[in-house]
Amino acid sequence: MYSYLQVSPNNWELLPNDRFRYLNQPNSPSSERAKLNYVNTPYIPDGTSYFASSFGSGSGSSMYDYASSTIEQEYEKHSSNFTYLVIPSRQLFKIKEVQSNDASVDLTEMNSAQKSLFKTTPNLKKLGVNLFGYPIADDYNNFLWLYSSSIPELHGRFDIIYPTSQIHQYKLATTWTDATSNLYEYYSLADSVPTHLAFIDDSFLKVNSRSFDNLDVQFLKDQPTYYASTWMDDESKIYWMIYAPPTTTTFNPKEYITSLNSSLLKHRNTADLALVNLTVEKADNLSHQLFFDNVFTPELKRKKAIGLSRKFIKKM
């Protein structure tokens, strides 16, 4: 269950299990199988390259032929289709719009890719990094998946590698953890890729009371856009997340859940619900209401108005 306190849901569009859609990519249009042949490929010492095409389609690996200096790539091609090839060992990339289903791209001239290490809070462990690029200005449907930490071909002595030109905006989403399993998230949509990531952390808040009939939270620094408390029972049959404005720091979840008179909870034991984590998010300078309008209103979602978001999930 998800509850949103002190907000007006007018014009919202909520789907099952739908939450922060500003992180998600739109559904891709129809596609067809195509082949791309890269010629005059510069020598690749380890034979490794990474390929992607519009709408997140493509493959994490390509077939490199040392003898002919070619790379053959099969992929799903769309009507408006950009292709991206990066050679990490050579720090080179090529972005090319392709129309034909059997095309050839000359790699005699390639551009220099940027390799970077993130500067973050010490002792954080990186869990995931994803970078998307928009090759057409103000078109948030057509995107290239530029980097993913889950793709072996992109691993190396760097945290991220990406093209420095032909991309109008970059969307970066990263997740980190610490020794006590707290989670840290950093999201950015900008005309450059941030590498100095400043997180919200434990020093931003204090939990004075965590009981089910008295949640008392104190924000020690800047007020967040919202905070959310997550409650579960002993058998993990109930998962309840309450999103609240930063001005409501004292709250009685037990009283609230009773007032809902939920038929789904009628025969459930809610007496042993306990706080399992506390989420704090700061998104630009958006108000509590405007943030959720941008998340759940279709017209605002398409405009991608959220440029910077930092989230901290404290394990209780």
Side-chain angles (χ1 to χ4, degrees):
M1 300 186 300
Y2 302 98
S3 296
Y4 303 89
L5 304 183
Q6 298 182 29
V7 286
S8 171
N10 291 340
N11 301 317
W12 288 11
E13 183 182 86
L14 285 162
L15 302 173
N17 297 319
D18 191 10
R19 288 189 289 156
F20 296 156
R21 302 291 289 183
Y22 73 95
L23 289 177
N24 292 3
Q25 300 289 358
N27 294 327
S28 63
S30 60
S31 63
E32 53 188 345
R33 294 298 294 173
K35 185 173 68 174
L36 192 60
N37 190 42
Y38 289 102
V39 298
N40 297 320
T41 304
Y43 176 67
I44 307 176
D46 59 3
T48 298
S49 62
Y50 167 73
F51 173 85
S53 63
S54 286
F55 306 100
S57 300
S59 172
S61 60
S62 306
M63 295 178 60
Y64 172 59
D65 189 307
Y66 285 90
S68 62
S69 297
T70 60
I71 295 176
E72 186 176 290
Q73 179 69 56
E74 293 187 354
Y75 68 106
E76 293 293 326
K77 181 187 164 300
H78 304 270
S79 57
S80 177
N81 202 92
F82 287 82
T83 59
Y84 171 63
L85 181 81
V86 62
I87 304 173
S89 61
R90 298 295 302 271
Q91 205 167 328
L92 296 171
F93 79 92
K94 185 82 168 185
I95 293 177
K96 182 75 172 177
E97 188 173 10
V98 176
Q99 302 295 338
S100 171
N101 285 359
D102 190 1
S104 180
V105 174
D106 193 336
L107 297 183
T108 301
E109 295 184 3
M110 299 184 72
N111 294 321
S112 296
Q114 177 67 45
K115 289 181 179 180
S116 297
L117 293 171
F118 289 120
K119 296 180 181 178
T120 65
T121 305
N123 303 319
L124 290 186
K125 179 184 177 182
K126 181 176 59 180
L127 293 182
V129 176
N130 286 288
L131 180 68
F132 305 92
Y134 300 95
I136 304 173
D138 300 321
D139 184 349
Y140 295 108
N141 288 314
N142 197 330
F143 67 94
L144 291 168
W145 197 335
L146 301 175
Y147 180 87
S148 174
S149 56
S150 64
I151 296 174
E153 288 81 4
L154 294 174
H155 292 175
R157 295 182 180 179
F158 52 88
D159 288 324
I160 193 168
I161 183 170
Y162 58 93
T164 53
S165 60
Q166 297 177 264
I167 297 295
H168 289 274
Q169 281 191 303
Y170 301 86
K171 181 165 76 171
L172 175 71
T174 75
T175 305
W176 307 71
T177 189
D178 60 20
T180 55
S181 298
N182 295 322
L183 291 178
Y184 305 74
E185 297 182 9
Y186 189 102
Y187 166 89
S188 168
L189 178 66
D191 57 6
S192 61
V193 179
T195 54
H196 192 148
L197 310 183
F199 295 103
I200 294 176
D201 57 29
D202 218 7
S203 67
F204 280 70
L205 71 153
K206 181 181 179 183
V207 181
N208 298 314
S209 173
R210 52 184 286 183
S211 64
F212 189 46
D213 60 358
N214 181 28
L215 176 65
D216 190 331
V217 179
Q218 183 179 355
F219 301 113
L220 306 177
K221 297 182 180 179
D222 293 341
Q223 279 198 339
T225 302
Y226 73 85
Y227 77 97
S229 54
T230 303
W231 305 83
M232 293 183 67
D233 62 336
D234 289 340
E235 298 179 343
S236 299
K237 291 184 176 181
I238 300 175
Y239 179 96
W240 186 32
M241 203 165 180
I242 308 171
Y243 295 89
T247 52
T248 305
T249 55
T250 303
F251 180 64
N252 187 332
K254 182 178 180 180
E255 183 179 85
Y256 178 67
I257 201 171
T258 302
S259 71
L260 294 177
N261 195 26
S262 169
S263 59
L264 290 174
L265 297 175
K266 190 172 183 180
H267 301 293
R268 301 275 187 179
N269 180 23
T270 60
D272 62 350
L273 283 174
L275 184 66
V276 292
N277 59 56
L278 196 72
T279 302
V280 178
E281 182 166 3
K282 177 74 172 177
D284 291 329
N285 290 312
L286 297 177
S287 67
H288 179 66
Q289 176 70 55
L290 190 54
F291 171 81
F292 285 106
D293 284 345
N294 274 279
V295 169
F296 292 126
T297 305
E299 182 181 354
L300 292 176
K301 270 195 301 188
R302 286 192 291 269
K303 293 181 179 179
K304 302 285 185 183
I306 298 175
L308 174 63
S309 173
R310 296 174 298 150
K311 183 187 294 185
F312 173 61
I313 304 176
K314 178 179 174 63
K315 185 177 180 181
M316 306 302 294

